[in-house]
């Protein structure tokens, strides 16, 4: 990814700082946003050599309009959102994201998350657990897993990631290569961090932060996120709306983007072989239009 010198970019998901570094190397200024203070500290050290061209904002990317320079009226040339958790977060046992590593049932990307994974599995009503497993995990065995969670916690509350992973494996068995807790862990993580809610707010905030002509790039790893981005961009890049029963098409009040790629861009085979976690990534790119107000 490249940005021209003197452009100002918000990297809304700073993580390890890899994308920010690419922008900085081409001369741009970057504001790195992350809700994880550990990620911010790590990236600040990694990118210190870029001096004042790199700055950070601790918070949710849904809060982009609250970034001090944006508040002072400076709009940005580009926004990148590379959704989900970072490898650093996943690989760190004590963050509780992995069903392969013993750790506390945490899964918060940062301290601002209103709950942790233990709160959900130990206290949420069974129906709500079923709902998130279905909705966020697209888990067809949601009822069976939620039932097992509720029976287990009645005897002994869940404490660690492996308590939960083992309970799920016992409930649904293991077939194939994928661990049977994969979808449930993803669903619980998305609920802990209110990931879809944050994305919906961020999409609506983009025109408050981006210059007319500026670009929005979003990388998703999950069909629900991709669907949300695709629908938002499709609607907001449609100039006229038409419905059966209307005498003629009407101007779309939400028309404000131009799609720079009609379809999602998938990673190349080379990218997947150097980073297997990229295999389900989809990139969508759009440009904010310069419309008369
Ligand atoms: C997939 S990683 C980004 C990796 C990064 N592009 C890189 O090059 O290293 C996602 C990062 O975004 C952060 N993140 C995810 N959702 C967020 C949100 N709603 N607000 C702020 N940060 C978020 C996570 O804490 C994580 O550090």
């Amino acid at each position: 990814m490249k940005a021209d010198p003197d452009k100002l970019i918000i990297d809304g998901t700073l993580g390890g700082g890899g994308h920010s570094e690419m922008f900085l190397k081409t001369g741009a200024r970057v504001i790195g946003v992350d809700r994880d203070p550990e990620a911010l500290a790590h990236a600040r050290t990694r990118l210190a050599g870029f001096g004042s061209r790199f700055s950070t904002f601790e918070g949710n990317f849904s809060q982009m309009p609250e970034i001090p320079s944006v508040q002072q009226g400076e709009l940005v040339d580009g926004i990148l959102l590379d959704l989900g958790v970072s490898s650093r977060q996943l690989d760190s046992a004590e963050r509780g994201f992995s069903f392969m590593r013993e750790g506390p049932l945490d899964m918060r990307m940062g301290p601002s998350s209103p709950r942790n994974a233990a709160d959900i599995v130990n206290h949420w009503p069974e129906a709500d657990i079923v709902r998130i497993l279905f909705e966020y995990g697209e888990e067809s065995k949601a009822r069976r897993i939620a039932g097992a969670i509720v029976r287990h916690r009645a005897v002994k509350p869940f404490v660690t990631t492996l308590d939960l992973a083992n309970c799920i494996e016992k409930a649904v068995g293991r077939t194939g290569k994928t661990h049977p807790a994969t979808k449930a862990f993803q669903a619980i993580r998305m609920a802990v961090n209110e990931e879809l809610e944050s994305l919906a707010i961020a999409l609506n905030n983009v025109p408050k932060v981006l210059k007319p002509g500026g670009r929005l790039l979003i990388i998703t790893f999950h069909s629900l996120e991709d669907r949300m981005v695709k629908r938002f961009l499709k609607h907001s890049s449609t100039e006229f709306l038409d419905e059966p029963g209307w005498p003629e098409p009407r101007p779309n009040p939400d028309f404000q983007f131009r799609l720079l790629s009609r379809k999602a861009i998938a990673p190349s085979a080379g990218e997947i072989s150097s980073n297997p976690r990229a295999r389900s990534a989809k990139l969508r790119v759009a440009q904010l239009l310069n419309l008369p107000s």
Side-chain angles (χ1 to χ4, degrees):
M1 265 174 222
K2 286 197 289 191
D4 292 336
D6 302 328
K7 297 285 186 203
L8 176 60
I9 309 292
I10 293 180
D11 180 349
T13 47
L14 177 64
H19 283 124
S20 281
E21 184 171 32
M22 281 190 242
F23 292 131
L24 289 160
K25 277 188 174 158
T26 53
R29 289 180 294 141
V30 174
I31 304 169
V33 177
D34 208 295
R35 57 202 297 199
D36 181 351
E38 267 179 35
L40 289 164
H42 169 80
R44 269 188 218 115
T45 307
R46 172 176 175 181
L47 303 173
F50 293 99
S52 62
R53 283 203 290 120
F54 176 65
S55 60
T56 56
F57 177 79
E58 182 178 335
N60 195 308
F61 54 56
S62 61
Q63 298 168 296
M64 284 184 295
E66 294 168 34
I67 293 172
S69 54
V70 175
Q71 292 250 298
Q72 285 151 24
E74 189 176 25
L75 298 179
V76 306
D77 300 281
I79 296 175
L80 169 68
L81 302 179
D82 175 14
L83 301 176
V85 279
S86 66
S87 309
R88 277 175 69 81
Q89 289 167 328
L90 257 184
D91 294 342
S92 158
E94 65 274 18
R95 300 296 297 271
F97 287 106
S98 172
F99 48 78
M100 316 258 277
R101 293 179 171 79
E102 176 104 66
L105 265 174
D106 189 334
M107 299 198 199
R108 287 171 306 152
M109 286 183 191
S112 63
S113 303
R115 62 186 76 90
N116 65 22
D119 295 328
I120 293 180
V121 294
N122 287 326
H123 301 295
W124 275 23
E126 185 171 346
D128 288 342
I129 299 179
V130 172
R131 179 181 56 79
I132 61 165
L133 296 179
F134 262 132
E135 262 181 39
Y136 300 159
E138 297 177 318
E139 172 56 87
S140 57
K141 296 170 184 149
R143 279 180 212 291
R144 217 184 317 158
I145 293 174
I149 288 175
V150 169
R151 281 193 301 281
H152 182 289
R153 77 186 185 193
V155 181
K156 191 169 171 281
F158 290 94
V159 178
T160 73
T161 45
L162 294 192
D163 288 344
L164 180 61
N166 293 337
C167 167
I168 295 172
E169 183 166 3
K170 248 200 321 211
V172 297
R174 193 189 260 264
T175 48
K177 273 199 221 149
T178 313
H179 192 287
T182 306
K183 290 179 174 176
F185 267 62
Q186 173 189 283
I188 295 167
R189 186 203 89 205
M190 289 178 77
V192 165
N193 295 290
E194 300 182 320
E195 294 180 32
L196 291 177
E197 294 85 342
S198 300
L199 178 60
I201 299 171
L203 290 173
N204 285 310
N205 277 340
V206 166
K208 297 181 196 154
V209 179
L210 198 57
K211 273 182 200 161
R215 288 171 187 211
L216 171 67
L217 290 85
I218 305 190
I219 303 170
T220 61
F221 291 85
H222 184 285
S223 56
L224 284 181
E225 287 165 346
D226 184 57
R227 216 173 299 149
M228 182 183 283
V229 175
K230 181 179 165 180
R231 281 193 188 148
F232 171 84
L233 290 178
K234 183 164 188 261
H235 175 69
S236 52
S237 61
T238 303
E239 192 168 1
F240 290 95
L241 301 174
D242 199 3
E243 285 199 9
W246 288 359
E248 58 188 24
R250 297 177 188 171
N252 176 5
D254 302 324
F255 173 57
Q256 50 197 351
F257 283 100
R258 181 165 78 93
L259 297 183
L260 294 183
S261 67
R262 211 172 52 76
K263 292 200 160 177
I265 301 166
S268 65
E271 277 172 297
I272 296 174
S273 78
S274 64
N275 175 16
R277 281 177 184 161
R279 68 188 175 283
S280 46
K282 285 184 174 171
L283 167 67
R284 293 190 187 269
V285 191
Q287 185 172 36
L288 190 66
L289 294 168
N290 195 354
L291 294 169
S293 46

